[in-house]
């Protein structure tokens, strides 16, 4: 996928319902947009979950792309892959710390010295006309200066501030956008897909599937980013939702 970042139009808000929703509206008339906000009142995660973030303490960013030609399943998967790679690289570069891991398909976790906690979530949404994908929006949330999560998130979420890093949000955003577009400019879809698979580090891992008693291992990656898992009895299962699996991130 080749995208010229110079064609992007930028929109920044103090507060907005959802950067993803606004990016979708903009794509009715624009080809490439970047929407950011200091706060979201209706930020979304996957599976109808809400994305928590207090005013001014986190990065809320959406990149909207209108597709000018037919998009195949590999290219759609690339948007999942490149967004997570860009976030991981950005955090590593700005903090000089190798503590960040991608959990399938695109959540970013950080090691706090005791365990991995979620520091970033990514929501990729596609719009279709019939069977053809006409646009995609990549929504990225990063916990930057958050210091007080709701009770239900305190054991699972973490911010850069809580890890001891004081990163200015605008600097983080600028670096992330640069790395995101650089991946697309300098790598083929297949190269990005292979880098993502390597960073996921799923080969030979024991994988637990919620609701299943068996332990699985990775059998193969499908071109569209789904996983085929197999247990000791050669029973196979297809996974497209990272929330349904658990495995060691190291």
């Amino acid at each position: 996928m080749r995208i010229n970042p110079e064609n992007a139009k930028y929109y920044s808000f103090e507060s907005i319902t959802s950067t993803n929703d606004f990016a979708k509206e903009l794509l009715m008339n624009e080809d490439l947009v970047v929407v950011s906000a200091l706060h979201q009142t209706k930020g979304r995660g996957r599976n109808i979950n809400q994305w928590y973030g207090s005013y001014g303490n986190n990065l809320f960013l959406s990149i909207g792309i209108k597709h000018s030609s037919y998009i195949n399943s590999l290219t759609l998967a690339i948007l999942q892959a490149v967004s997570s790679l860009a976030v991981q690289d950005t955090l590593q570069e700005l903090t000089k710390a190798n503590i960040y891991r991608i959990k399938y398909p695109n959540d970013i976790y950080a090691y706090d010295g005791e365990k991995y906690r979620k520091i970033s979530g990514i929501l990729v949404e596609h719009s279709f006309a019939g069977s053809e994908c006409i646009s995609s929006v990549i929504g990225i949330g990063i916990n930057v200066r958050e210091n007080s999560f709701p009770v239900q998130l305190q054991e699972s979420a973490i911010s850069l501030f809580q890890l001891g890093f004081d990163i200015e949000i605008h600097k983080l955003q600028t670096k992330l956008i640069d790395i995101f577009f650089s991946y697309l400019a300098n790598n083929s879809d297949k190269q990005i897909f292979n880098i993502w698979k390597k960073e996921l580090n799923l080969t030979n891992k024991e994988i637990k599937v919620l609701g299943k008693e068996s332990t699985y291992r990775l059998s193969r990656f499908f071109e569209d980013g789904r996983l085929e898992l197999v247990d000791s009895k050669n029973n196979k299962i297809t996974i497209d939702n990272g929330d349904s699996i658990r495995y060691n991130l190291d």
Side-chain angles (χ1 to χ4, degrees):
M1 179 184 293
R2 292 291 183 263
I3 296 174
N4 185 355
E6 294 182 0
N7 295 332
K9 294 189 176 181
Y10 289 76
Y11 299 82
S12 181
F13 298 90
E14 292 282 323
S15 183
I16 196 172
T17 54
S18 163
T19 56
N20 263 30
D21 288 347
F22 190 69
K24 289 179 187 178
E25 293 181 20
L26 290 171
L27 288 175
M28 295 178 183
N29 299 302
E30 305 290 353
D31 295 327
L32 181 62
V33 298
V34 178
V35 182
S36 62
L38 294 176
H39 184 242
Q40 290 187 126
T41 58
K42 294 182 179 179
R44 300 192 306 280
R46 288 192 304 273
N47 302 324
I48 71 171
N49 293 323
Q50 287 189 320
W51 181 261
Y52 174 80
S54 60
Y55 181 88
N57 287 321
N58 306 283
L59 183 146
F60 302 108
L61 177 72
S62 293
I63 300 172
I65 302 166
K66 182 182 290 183
H67 303 301
S68 58
S69 59
Y70 172 77
I71 301 297
N72 61 30
S73 59
L74 174 59
T75 302
L76 291 181
I78 290 312
L79 294 177
Q80 295 271 12
V82 72
S83 53
S84 58
L85 291 169
V87 171
Q88 183 186 48
D89 286 2
T90 298
L91 294 177
Q92 288 177 340
E93 184 169 334
L94 291 182
T95 66
K96 310 301 181 185
N98 184 26
I99 59 173
Y100 309 100
R101 301 291 182 269
I102 303 173
K103 181 183 181 295
Y104 176 84
N106 55 17
D107 285 336
I108 309 299
Y109 280 67
Y111 189 68
D112 66 358
E114 297 181 357
K115 67 177 184 178
Y116 283 97
R117 302 174 192 250
K118 187 173 177 178
I119 196 167
S120 174
I122 298 165
L123 178 64
V124 181
E125 298 181 300
H126 305 293
S127 296
F128 290 83
S131 61
E132 182 177 351
C133 182
I134 57 174
S135 65
S136 301
V137 175
I138 304 99
I140 300 171
I142 302 177
N143 301 326
V144 184
R145 293 178 171 171
E146 196 67 56
N147 194 34
S148 180
F149 290 98
V151 173
Q152 66 270 25
L153 297 177
Q154 288 177 2
E155 291 300 313
S156 60
I158 199 165
S159 69
L160 288 171
F161 178 82
Q162 291 173 323
L163 289 167
F165 301 114
D166 184 16
I167 306 294
E168 201 273 322
I169 293 175
H170 181 71
K171 181 179 180 180
L172 180 69
Q173 177 177 308
T174 301
K175 176 63 67 174
L176 174 57
I177 293 169
D178 287 346
I179 291 178
F180 178 90
F181 285 126
S182 178
Y183 261 109
L184 294 178
N186 297 311
N187 299 276
S188 68
D189 288 355
K190 193 65 177 179
Q191 286 173 322
I192 293 172
F193 194 72
N194 288 334
I195 296 170
W196 175 65
K197 288 193 296 184
K198 181 180 179 181
E199 288 299 318
L200 284 173
N201 191 27
L202 281 169
T203 304
N204 297 323
K205 291 278 184 72
E206 289 189 352
I207 301 172
K208 296 294 294 182
V209 179
L210 298 185
K212 303 287 186 180
E213 293 184 1
S214 299
T215 298
Y216 293 82
R217 292 187 182 274
L218 178 67
S219 174
R220 63 168 169 157
F221 278 90
F222 291 102
E223 185 181 68
D224 60 6
R226 292 176 300 153
L227 309 177
E228 181 181 80
L229 307 181
V230 60
D231 67 10
S232 59
K233 297 180 179 179
N234 206 36
N235 296 312
K236 295 179 180 180
I237 185 172
T238 300
I239 296 294
D240 64 0
N241 182 351
D243 293 336
S244 65
I245 60 175
R246 301 287 184 271
Y247 59 92
N248 184 358
L249 291 177
D250 281 319

